[in-house]
Amino acid sequence: MRIEVTGVLVDNQDKALKFYTEVLGFQPKHDIPVSGDDRWLTVVSPENPDGVELLLEPNGNPAASVFQQAIFEQGLPAAMFGVDDIQSEFNRLKELEVEFTMEPTEMGPVTIAIFNDTCGNLIQIAQTNEA
């Protein structure tokens, strides 16, 4: 068994696609109409284009939007992405005017930072620290 797709709820799929590709640097993988304006919209890491897909899932279900808002208000990240050099990634994203709620902070074996994806989520990036 393996993970093929995981997702984050988004309040606007077009805005999410733009942020996740143009700002974060992911690549579009699938963009398939499913119902009304909703799409099966996934992105992948350019470092592993055949790897796990991230579904940019519309939060149109009232339960989904309430959950998404509650998690955001509690300051909890909806997803975590690994990076090799967190300070460089932090600096790159800051230059693109990404809003961080936590700057790079060492926490034992990892250093993490958290930012707002502009689509209703906080996203954590993490770098494993050398032992």
Side-chain angles (χ1 to χ4, degrees):
M1 187 176 303
R2 64 189 173 277
I3 298 171
E4 296 285 332
V5 178
T6 189
V8 292
L9 296 167
V10 297
D11 57 14
N12 181 306
Q13 285 187 301
D14 290 326
K15 184 169 81 170
L17 181 61
K18 183 174 179 161
F19 183 85
Y20 279 79
T21 57
E22 295 179 15
V23 176
L24 298 187
F26 291 112
Q27 296 175 336
K29 180 77 173 193
H30 295 288
D31 190 348
I32 303 165
V34 289
S35 166
D37 291 332
D38 294 343
R39 296 145 38 206
W40 179 262
L41 181 60
T42 66
V43 295
V44 294
S45 169
E47 297 170 18
N48 191 6
D50 294 320
V52 176
E53 296 176 42
L54 179 67
L55 174 63
L56 304 176
E57 188 168 2
N59 70 355
N61 180 311
S65 60
V66 168
F67 172 77
Q68 181 185 26
Q69 182 178 357
I71 295 300
F72 185 91
E73 288 173 358
Q74 291 178 29
L76 300 173
M80 180 180 73
F81 305 135
V83 296
D84 293 328
D85 183 341
I86 198 165
Q87 192 62 52
S88 292
E89 193 64 23
F90 171 79
N91 293 341
R92 182 184 78 79
L93 293 173
K94 284 293 279 187
E95 287 179 18
L96 294 171
E97 300 182 358
V98 171
E99 174 192 332
F100 278 80
T101 61
M102 176 190 281
E103 295 192 2
T105 304
E106 189 172 327
M107 298 191 158
V110 296
T111 300
I112 66 170
I114 301 173
F115 62 86
N116 183 336
D117 77 351
T118 72
C119 304
N121 303 295
L122 296 176
I123 302 295
Q124 179 174 294
I125 54 175
Q127 170 192 310
T128 303
N129 298 327
E130 298 293 323

